[in-house]
Amino acid sequence: AQKITQTQPGMFVQEKEAVTLDCTYDTSDQSYGLFWYKQPSSGEMIFLIYQGSYDEQNATEGRYSLNFQKARKSANLVISASQLGDSAMYFCAMSNPFYTGANSKLTFGKGITLSVRP
Amino acid sequence: DTAVSQTPKYLVTQMGNDKSIKCEQNLGHDTMYWYKQDSKKFLKIMFSYNNKELIINETVPNRFSPKSPDKAHLNLHINSLELGDSAVYFCASSGIMNTEAFFGQGTRLTVV
């Protein structure tokens, strides 16, 4: 079984600073994918970034980067230069098994609320 | 041009009614999903379809019946609605390599 753990209850960051949102996972599979989603107060789920278990480099997408530490089973999201619009709930998720698209449901963590202060 | 679109965005209905939520994706993806987000914001898979075939059914009451007329559409029909069905329902799709999974805007269902 797969499990995603997000334990930070709520995070605050000053505008223009960087923030790290923690995510740890548990799986017995060798191949898997890790995702981060943003859910603003308007409710939609916005895909931010993806990391494959065999990717040697950490994924980056604009101001988002994923700090992937396979041995520690962690996949933390780093947001650089925070903006007021980054205030939202952030979900870490994993897919398993990875290369079988038909069975690759996403297992989600409980989410972290991020508030950006002006 | 919206990649995954679901309608309606809001649905308020009385207990016992039957309702449907529609979902369409224009990404050419083979796999579509329904997820449920409860009042505590926890997201859980309900169903997945691959090219019109049911792949995952995660112990969802049989009052919930997904239907996929083609691989671009996955609708969710709910019979005899109960108060506990109130939640946000998300449709999603992913491609073969599953390196991206895109969600619709969600349908907030309120049963009164």
Side-chain angles (χ1 to χ4, degrees), chain A residues 35 37 39 42-45 47 50 89 91 95 97-110, chain B residues 9 31 33 35 37 41-43 45 48 50 55-56 58 90 95-105:
Chain A
F35 300 73
Y37 286 86
Q39 187 175 41
S42 50
E44 68 268 32
M45 291 287 288
F47 168 72
Y50 165 83
M89 195 150 187
F91 292 93
S95 65
F98 171 52
Y99 289 111
T100 307
N103 290 325
S104 279
K105 64 179 182 181
L106 286 168
T107 299
F108 284 88
K110 293 183 177 180
Chain B
K9 186 169 170 64
T31 309
Y33 311 81
Y35 288 85
Q37 186 173 42
K41 300 287 190 178
F42 187 66
L43 280 144
I45 183 77
S48 81
N50 179 258
I55 302 297
I56 296 175
E58 289 273 318
F90 284 98
I96 292 174
M97 291 304 290
N98 201 34
T99 55
E100 297 174 320
F102 293 105
F103 282 70
Q105 73 269 39

Side-chain angles (χ1 to χ4, degrees), chain B residues 4-7 21-25 31-35 47-50 52-54 65-77 90-93:
Chain B
V4 182
S5 61
Q6 56 182 105
T7 55
I21 306 171
K22 294 186 176 181
C23 180
E24 175 182 4
Q25 55 96 2
T31 309
M32 296 185 71
Y33 311 81
W34 280 108
Y35 288 85
F47 302 102
S48 81
Y49 268 73
N50 179 258
K52 303 193 295 177
E53 181 184 352
L54 178 65
S65 53
K67 286 195 170 46
S68 182
D70 56 61
K71 76 172 194 176
H73 295 82
L74 180 61
N75 303 323
L76 183 65
H77 188 75
F90 284 98
C91 176
S93 74

Side-chain angles (χ1 to χ4, degrees), chain A residues 71-92:
Chain A
R72 298 179 62 183
K73 292 191 174 179
S74 74
N76 299 339
L77 178 71
V78 180
I79 305 174
S80 63
S82 297
Q83 301 172 356
L84 294 178
D86 294 334
S87 294
M89 195 150 187
Y90 289 80
F91 292 93
C92 181

Side-chain angles (χ1 to χ4, degrees), chain A residues 32-79:
Chain A
Y32 50 88
L34 294 154
F35 300 73
W36 276 92
Y37 286 86
K38 172 184 178 181
Q39 187 175 41
S41 58
S42 50
E44 68 268 32
M45 291 287 288
I46 303 168
F47 168 72
L48 295 178
I49 197 166
Y50 165 83
Q51 177 86 42
S53 59
Y54 285 114
D55 293 340
E56 294 186 354
Q57 303 235 346
N58 286 341
T60 59
E61 287 287 349
R63 293 186 300 110
Y64 303 108
S65 60
L66 201 152
N67 184 358
F68 181 47
Q69 297 188 39
K70 196 170 181 177
R72 298 179 62 183
K73 292 191 174 179
S74 74
N76 299 339
L77 178 71
V78 180
I79 305 174

